[in-house]
Amino acid sequence: MSDLEFGAFYFDGRSSRAHPVRVRFDGRRLRVAGEGVSLEPLIEHCRVNPPLGQARRVIRLPEEGRLETDDRQAVERLEARLGLNRGLTWVHRLEAQWRLVVACMAGLVLFSWAFVRWGLPFLAAQAAFATPVAVTEPISRQALKVLDEQFLEPSKLPPARRRELEAAFARVAGDVGGGYSYRLEFRSSPKLGPNAFALPSGVVVFTDGLVHLAQDDRELVGVMAHEVGHVIHRHSLRQLYQGLGVFVMVSILVGDVTSVTSLGASLPAVLVNNGYSRGFELEADRTAGAYLLRHYGTTRPLQNVLHRLAQAHDASLPDLLSTHPATPERMERLRRMEEGTGNGKR
Ligand SMILES: [Zn+2]
């Protein structure tokens, strides 16, 4: 191993005079040489003081003498050879290398952001698809109860009209499938206006306003297929789990019953206030577009009803169908599905 050499100041411990010296470590002794100074203490009789911020490094020599040096790297190499102050050196380096500290912080922030952006939706999807259909029943019941109390009133649609639409819904549900307890419910809702939403168990609610808004039952079939799309892709549970976070997902998966009830109570906020993410709406539109193409050879009925919904809704109203993403983008994608110039996917 080569000798280690560095410049330092020697203090004899009696006067405050600093003697410039060269220090050489040969593996056994520190050889300290300068004007009027010549010392060769054994290294085991010397002590390297722990580093203190940006202060000069200090090596205590036998008797009262000491060396001070600005050559921190040399002292660190010396310590490395002696196996001294390793932990402290690491702390000191962290302290000194603020860039590393900042980089660690930035890494942590980036990790958290990436977790929220991708990790959480991924976990939420896993949890949503792992949630047994039987568990979605009490969640949906509780959610509908809250919605009935806060936003919905009994429907005024004539029973014959309801039966017609229920039959159409049964065809859509049977075609799209997925093993859910599908059921179409009607409600009047001056608060929500023309609207529709799907509960995770397969219950789809149409407002009277939506039924009146449609000019053609194929438009309502398009909305049914869109809502069934939300059911089979488990969008409401995914959105709910994403919003509530990992803790709730775990308690659902381990079968915590109180969480199931509180989930049901939180679901209306997802459906009525927050709405779905852009990706979820587009995915439900793809399910609906595919159904319409199979049965009518066109996606136009859904485009038409989306357009009319956008016109009917005040922008400030909670909006389940048309605000997010923007209706023109959704119509354009449905048009492209029909033209076969794209399958609606990106
Ligand atoms: Zn939707």
Side-chain angles (χ1 to χ4, degrees), residues 196-198 204 206 222-232 284 320-321:
F197 48 85
V204 171
F206 269 25
V223 177
M224 290 170 190
H226 173 92
E227 296 302 331
V228 168
H230 282 313
V231 173
I232 60 167
L320 309 175
L321 269 167

Side-chain angles (χ1 to χ4, degrees), residues 76-147:
E76 280 169 15
R77 283 205 304 277
L78 177 66
E79 287 176 320
R81 285 223 202 157
L82 302 175
L84 284 175
N85 294 331
R86 266 194 191 132
L88 276 164
T89 307
W90 174 236
V91 170
H92 170 72
R93 277 194 191 146
L94 265 187
E95 207 174 72
Q97 295 180 5
W98 59 270
R99 278 188 192 85
L100 183 61
V101 174
V102 170
C104 286
M105 295 294 288
L108 188 64
V109 169
L110 194 67
F111 174 81
S112 310
W113 178 80
F115 179 75
V116 170
R117 176 77 175 71
W118 290 293
L120 206 51
F122 174 78
L123 285 176
Q126 300 296 308
F129 282 105
T131 304
V133 174
V135 173
T136 67
E137 304 276 356
I139 295 176
S140 302
R141 254 199 315 278
Q142 179 68 19
L144 189 57
K145 184 164 165 265
V146 173
L147 287 164

Side-chain angles (χ1 to χ4, degrees), residues 281-302:
E281 289 302 347
L282 295 178
E283 196 170 35
D285 279 351
R286 284 202 293 275
T287 303
Y291 181 88
L292 293 174
L293 282 176
R294 275 200 304 280
H295 292 265
Y296 309 130
T298 174
T299 61
R300 197 156 295 270
L302 185 56

